[in-house]
C-alpha cells in the first residue's frame, strides 16, 4: 500500500484524494474486494430512451437510402421531411415495447404539446444521424420545447414557466457551470473582487472555481449544519439581502448532504430577491427528481436564477455528458448587461466589437445567447451547440417521463426506491437510524466519524480519536486496509470528520459491508485507546 502524506492531501481536491484512496483500496492489506462508495456515478441506466434512439437511427438510415444509395449500401443520402411522420408510424410495430414508446411520445407531443409531427420527426431523425451542425446553435427547435416541458413537469412543482424559458443544452452540468462562470465574467455581471455567497457544504468546484486567478471573487459561506437538518437558518438569508452580495450559488438538493430546500427556505429566497433585486442565483438541480414534490429555486425566483440541470444521475448518462442551462426570458442578467452598457462607454464598445462578429445588433444579444457564443470563443459561434445526437437523446430521456404526466413515472419511482433501499441498508449496518425527512434525496448520505466514535464508545474516546488522528488518516486506512473508498466531506465545506457515502453506485449488500468495515476500523482505534 502506498504511504500518503496526510498534510499534503489536505491541500488537494477531494476528488483527487479519493482517486488516490481508490488506487490503494485495490491492493488493500486485508485482500478485501474494493468497494468505492465515493463517486456519484449511478450503476443503473435508462434503457427505454437508448433503445428508442437506436430505432430512430435505423429508421433514419433507411430513409436516407431513399435519396442516395451508393458504395454497396455504405453510403446513404439525406432525409426528406414531407410525410416523414407517417412513414415512421408505418415503420413501427405497436406490439414492440420500444416502438410503442415512440408511438406514445409522438401522440403526447401532438396531443399535449401540439407540435408539428413532420417537423419533430425530421428533427429527431436528422439529429440522431448527426449529419448537420446544430441549428439553431443554442438548441434544436423542438428539442428546446420538450426540454422546457420536462423541466416544468419535473422541477417547478406546478409553476408554469415552460413558455417563458430559454434552454441551452450543454456537455453535462460540468460544462454548464464553466460556461456560466465564464459568461458572468465576460459580461461584467460579476467583476473581480465582487462578493458571492455559497451554500456550504457544496459540490467542490463551486468552492474552487471562484478562487481561481481569472475570477478573483470574494466568497462567504451561507452554511448549514446537521443539527438544522442541513437547512439554511433565517439569519443567513438575511445576509443575502445586502446589496453587496452579488451572487448566490446553490446545489439543490445539496451535495454532499442530499437535502432539498424546504418550503420555508424557498419563501426566504423570495424575500432575498425582493430586498436585493440584482442578486444572481445559480442553482444546480441534478438530484431534484429524487425528492417527492421537489421545487426548484428557479420556479420561485425565475428572473434572478440560472438553472443548471443534468440527466447524468437519474438516467445513468454520466458518460454522455447531457446537461442544460435555463433562463427566464425576463431576467436580471440582461438588465445588468443593459445597465453596464448605458453607464460605461468602454464596456459598450467592448460588447459592440465582440458580438458584432456574430449578430447584427450586438447590444440586443441575450445573456444566454452570449453564453453560447462565448462557449466557442465567438469565432466558432456558427458551429456551437451540443451535438445533435446528444440533444435528441436527452430529449428522449425527457419523454420517458413526460408520457406519464399527471401520474407516477415507474422509472423515477424505481430510481428513488433503489437509493432508499441502499440508504436504509447502510444506516442499519451502522446500527443507526437514517433521516427520513421529506427533503432528503437519499442519493448521498454524510456522517461525522468523530460523532460516531462518541456514540459507540463515549466522549473520552472521541476526544482521544479527534486529537490524535486526522479524519483523512481514517479515510486513508479505510481504503488501504479494508478496501472501502469514501468521499471526504470537508473538501466540500463540511466540518472536519464528515464522510460522504454515495448510495448510487453499489448493490445494496455492499452498503452493509461498507458499514461493517467502518465499524471494524473504528473498533481498532478504540483498542489503541484502551491500550494507551
Amino acid at each position: 500500500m502506498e504511504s500518503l502524506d496526510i498534510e499534503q492531501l489536505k491541500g488537494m481536491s477531494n476528488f483527487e484524494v479519493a482517486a488516490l484512496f481508490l488506487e490503494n483500496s485495490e491492493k488493500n492489506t486485508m485482500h478485501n474486494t474494493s468497494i468505492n462508495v465515493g463517486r456519484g456515478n449511478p450503476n443503473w441506466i435508462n434503457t427505454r430512451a437508448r433503445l428508442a434512439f437506436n430505432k430512430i437511427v435505423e429508421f433514419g438510415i433507411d430513409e436516407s437510402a431513399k435519396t442516395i444509395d451508393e458504395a454497396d449500401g455504405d453510403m446513404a443520402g439525406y432525409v426528406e421531411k414531407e410525410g416523414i411522420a407517417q412513414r415512421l408510424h408505418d415503420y413501427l410495430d405497436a406490439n414492440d415495447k420500444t416502438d410503442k414508446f415512440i408511438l406514445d411520445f409522438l401522440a403526447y407531443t401532438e396531443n399535449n404539446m401540439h407540435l408539428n409531427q413532420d417537423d419533430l420527426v425530421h428533427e429527431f431523425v436528422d439529429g440522431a444521424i448527426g449529419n448537420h451542425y446544430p441549428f439553431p446553435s443554442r438548441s434544436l427547435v423542438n428539442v428546446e420545447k420538450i426540454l422546457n416541458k420536462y423541466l416544468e413537469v419535473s422541477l417547478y412543482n406546478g409553476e408554469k414557466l415552460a413558455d417563458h424559458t430559454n434552454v441551452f443544452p450543454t456537455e453535462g452540468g460540468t460544462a454548464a457551470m464553466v460556461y456560466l462562470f465564464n459568461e458572468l465574467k465576460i459580461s461584467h455581471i460579476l467583476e473581480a473582487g465582487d462578493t458571492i455567497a455559497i451554500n456550504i457544504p457544496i459540490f467542490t468546484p463551486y468552492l474552487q472555481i471562484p478562487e481561481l486567478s481569472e475570477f478573483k471573487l470574494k466568497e462567504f459561506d451561507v452554511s448549514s449544519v446537521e443539527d438544522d437538518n442541513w437547512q439554511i437558518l433565517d439569519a443567513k438569508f438575511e445576509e443575502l439581502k445586502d446589496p453587496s452580495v452579488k451572487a448566490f450559488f446553490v446545489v439543490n438538493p445539496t451535495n454532499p448532504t442530499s437535502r432539498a430546500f424546504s418550503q420555508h427556505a424557498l419563501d426566504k429566497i423570495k424575500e432575498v430577491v425582493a430586498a436585493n433585486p440584482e442578486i444572481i442565483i445559480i442553482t444546480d438541480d441534478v438530484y431534484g427528481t429524487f425528492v417527492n414534490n421537489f421545487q426548484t429555486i428557479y420556479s420561485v425566483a425565475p428572473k434572478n436564477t440560472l438553472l443548471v440541470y443534468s440527466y447524468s444521475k437519474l438516467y445513468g448518462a454520466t458518460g454522455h455528458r447531457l446537461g442544460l442551462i435555463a433562463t427566464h426570458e425576463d431576467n436580471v442578467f440582461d438588465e445588468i448587461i443593459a445597465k453596464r452598457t448605458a453607464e460605461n462607454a468602454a464596456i459598450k464598445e467592448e460588447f459592440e466589437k465582440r458580438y458584432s462578429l456574430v449578430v447584427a445588433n450586438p447590444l440586443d444579444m441575450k445573456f444566454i445567447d452570449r453564453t453560447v457564443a462565448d462557449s466557442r470563443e465567438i469565432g466558432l459561434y456558427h458551429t456551437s451547440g451540443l451535438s445533435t445526437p446528444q440533444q435528441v437523446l436527452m430529449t428522449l430521456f425527457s419523454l420517458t417521463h413526460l408520457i406519464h404526466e399527471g401520474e407516477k413515472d415507474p422509472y423515477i419511482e424505481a430510481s428513488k426506491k433503489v437509493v432508499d433501499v441502499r440508504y436504509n441498508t447502510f444506516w442499519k449496518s451502522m446500527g443507526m437510524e437514517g433521516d427520513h425527512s421529506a427533503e432528503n434525496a437519499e442519493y448521498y448520505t454524510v456522517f461525522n466519524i468523530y460523532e460516531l466514535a462518541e456514540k459507540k464508545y463515549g466522549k473520552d474516546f472521541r476526544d482521544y480519536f479527534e486529537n490524535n488522528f486526522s479524519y483523512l488518516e481514517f479515510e486513508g486506512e479505510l481504503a488501504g486496509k479494508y478496501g472501502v473508498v469514501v468521499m471526504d466531506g470537508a473538501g466540500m465545506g463540511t466540518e472536519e470528520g464528515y464522510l460522504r457515502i454515495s448510495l448510487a453506485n453499489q448493490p445494496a449488500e455492499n452498503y452493509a459491508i461498507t458499514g461493517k468495515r467502518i465499524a471494524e476500523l473504528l473498533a481498532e482505534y478504540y483498542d489503541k485507546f484502551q491500550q494507551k
Side-chain angles (χ1 to χ4, degrees):
M1 182 183 76
E2 180 185 349
S3 177
L4 300 174
D5 184 330
I6 297 300
E7 290 305 312
Q8 186 177 15
L9 293 182
K10 288 183 177 180
M12 295 174 61
S13 162
N14 54 349
F15 292 100
E16 305 310 319
V17 171
L20 293 174
F21 286 166
L22 178 60
E23 186 177 341
N24 275 0
S25 76
E26 291 169 348
K27 45 191 176 185
N28 66 83
T29 57
M30 295 190 73
H31 306 293
N32 290 329
T33 300
S34 175
I35 298 176
N36 181 4
V37 291
R39 290 302 298 271
N41 195 105
N43 65 347
W44 68 82
I45 64 170
N46 177 283
T47 60
R48 182 172 293 192
R50 287 172 166 91
L51 290 169
F53 181 87
N54 290 344
K55 180 60 68 77
I56 290 170
V57 170
E58 290 176 4
F59 170 71
I61 290 171
D62 284 353
E63 284 287 297
S64 300
K66 294 175 181 177
T67 52
I68 297 175
D69 187 5
E70 300 288 350
D72 295 325
D74 288 344
M75 178 187 290
Y78 51 91
V79 177
E80 294 279 10
K81 183 167 71 172
E82 186 176 354
I84 194 171
Q86 185 59 54
R87 294 196 298 276
L88 176 59
H89 275 270
D90 295 342
Y91 183 83
L92 299 173
D93 178 359
N95 294 313
D96 177 87
K97 185 177 180 180
T98 299
D99 291 11
K100 177 67 164 52
F101 165 57
I102 297 174
L103 292 168
D104 286 346
F105 80 63
L106 290 175
Y108 175 87
T109 57
E110 182 174 25
N111 299 329
N112 294 57
M113 299 185 66
H114 311 295
L115 300 183
N116 180 283
Q117 293 296 284
D118 277 350
D119 288 346
L120 173 69
V121 173
H122 182 264
E123 185 177 289
F124 272 22
V125 171
D126 192 63
I129 291 171
N131 191 36
H132 292 98
Y133 292 114
F135 184 81
S137 57
R138 175 159 54 79
S139 175
L140 300 179
V141 173
N142 289 289
V143 161
E144 182 173 21
K145 293 176 182 178
I146 295 169
L147 297 184
N148 257 321
K149 186 66 174 177
Y150 172 81
L151 294 174
E152 182 177 272
V153 169
S154 303
L155 305 180
Y156 299 168
N157 197 24
E159 296 295 325
K160 300 297 184 183
L161 297 170
D163 293 338
H164 304 285
T165 300
N166 299 133
V167 173
F168 172 26
T170 60
E171 300 88 341
T174 303
M177 286 167 49
V178 172
Y179 294 159
L180 285 177
F181 274 106
N182 187 52
E183 192 55 41
L184 291 169
K185 175 176 179 286
I186 291 173
S187 293
H188 295 278
I189 294 174
L190 289 182
E191 303 279 19
D194 279 349
T195 298
I196 63 170
I198 302 177
N199 178 206
I200 291 176
I202 198 169
F203 183 49
T204 309
Y206 281 110
L207 296 173
Q208 297 170 331
I209 293 174
E211 296 178 345
L212 297 176
S213 59
E214 57 262 45
F215 297 105
K216 298 180 182 177
L217 298 170
K218 294 180 182 177
E219 304 173 32
F220 82 85
D221 302 349
V222 179
S223 56
S224 54
V225 296
E226 187 173 10
D227 287 346
D228 301 315
N229 198 25
W230 302 109
Q231 294 290 333
I232 301 172
L233 295 179
D234 289 359
K236 292 292 184 180
F237 284 115
E238 288 300 314
E239 295 180 42
L240 295 176
K241 294 179 181 180
D242 185 338
S244 69
V245 180
K246 302 299 184 183
F248 181 38
F249 299 153
V250 173
V251 175
N252 180 31
T254 49
N255 176 11
T257 54
S258 211
R259 296 298 192 283
F261 274 44
S262 66
Q263 184 59 55
H264 178 76
L266 294 174
D267 290 340
K268 289 306 227 180
I269 288 289
K270 293 180 184 179
E271 291 182 15
V272 167
V273 169
N276 187 3
E278 287 194 352
I279 192 171
I280 297 152
I281 302 171
I282 297 179
T283 182
D284 181 345
D285 292 357
V286 59
Y287 306 103
T289 49
F290 291 90
V291 174
N292 292 327
N293 303 313
F294 173 77
Q295 185 162 11
T296 174
I297 291 171
Y298 177 75
S299 68
V300 300
K303 183 172 180 176
N304 295 71
T305 304
L306 295 164
L307 171 62
V308 173
Y309 182 74
S310 169
Y311 289 77
S312 60
K313 302 302 193 295
L314 177 59
Y315 294 103
T318 53
H320 275 290
R321 315 308 301 145
L322 304 177
L324 58 82
I325 298 166
T327 64
H328 197 269
E329 60 187 12
D330 176 20
N331 63 75
V332 72
F333 321 107
D334 291 335
E335 290 179 4
I336 293 174
I337 289 171
K339 182 178 177 181
R340 298 282 190 273
T341 303
E343 294 176 348
N344 191 311
I347 290 177
K348 178 182 179 183
E349 182 180 357
E350 174 190 332
F351 288 166
E352 286 177 329
K353 182 177 180 181
R354 183 177 187 88
Y355 299 108
S356 64
L357 296 172
V358 293
V359 293
N361 299 300
L363 298 183
D364 295 332
M365 196 174 188
K366 294 187 293 187
F367 172 83
I368 194 166
D369 291 320
R370 290 172 181 238
T371 305
V372 179
D374 287 317
S375 75
R376 297 300 185 267
E377 296 296 333
I378 302 296
L380 294 172
Y381 183 39
H382 63 293
T383 59
S384 59
L386 183 67
S387 75
T388 59
Q390 301 297 72
Q391 290 194 48
V392 172
L393 181 58
M394 68 196 297
T395 308
L396 292 172
F397 285 138
S398 301
L399 286 164
T400 66
H401 180 55
L402 287 174
I403 61 170
H404 298 288
E405 186 180 356
E407 58 190 39
K408 288 189 175 182
D409 178 345
Y411 178 84
I412 289 183
E413 293 306 306
S415 72
K416 289 189 286 191
K417 182 178 179 180
V418 164
V419 295
D420 181 63
V421 168
R422 295 171 182 181
Y423 179 88
N424 291 321
T425 299
F426 172 73
W427 281 106
K428 183 178 179 181
S429 76
M430 300 278 282
M432 300 168 69
E433 182 70 24
D435 168 69
H436 298 288
S437 60
E439 294 83 15
N440 190 356
E442 298 186 343
Y443 196 91
Y444 301 113
T445 192
V446 294
F447 67 95
N448 189 296
I449 192 62
Y450 299 131
E451 291 179 4
L452 179 64
E454 182 174 351
K455 287 179 181 178
K456 283 187 172 291
Y457 300 110
K459 189 172 187 310
D460 288 345
F461 171 62
R462 179 201 175 134
D463 292 341
Y464 161 81
F465 183 33
E466 194 165 2
N467 292 330
N468 291 278
F469 301 97
S470 165
Y471 59 97
L472 284 173
E473 189 172 349
F474 181 88
E475 294 172 17
E477 195 166 359
L478 184 64
K481 185 173 184 179
Y482 282 88
V484 171
V485 180
V486 298
M487 183 67 75
D488 167 41
M492 295 179 165
T494 67
E495 294 177 358
E496 292 187 353
Y498 275 94
L499 283 60
R500 189 195 78 173
I501 306 291
S502 166
L503 286 313
N505 66 348
Q506 296 290 329
E509 57 268 23
N510 281 4
Y511 291 99
I513 296 169
T514 295
K516 180 174 180 289
R517 291 180 186 176
I518 290 170
E520 288 175 353
L521 178 57
L522 193 59
E524 288 188 24
Y525 281 84
Y526 183 61
D527 287 342
K528 294 177 185 178
F529 167 69
Q530 290 183 306
Q531 295 167 15
K532 70 180 178 65

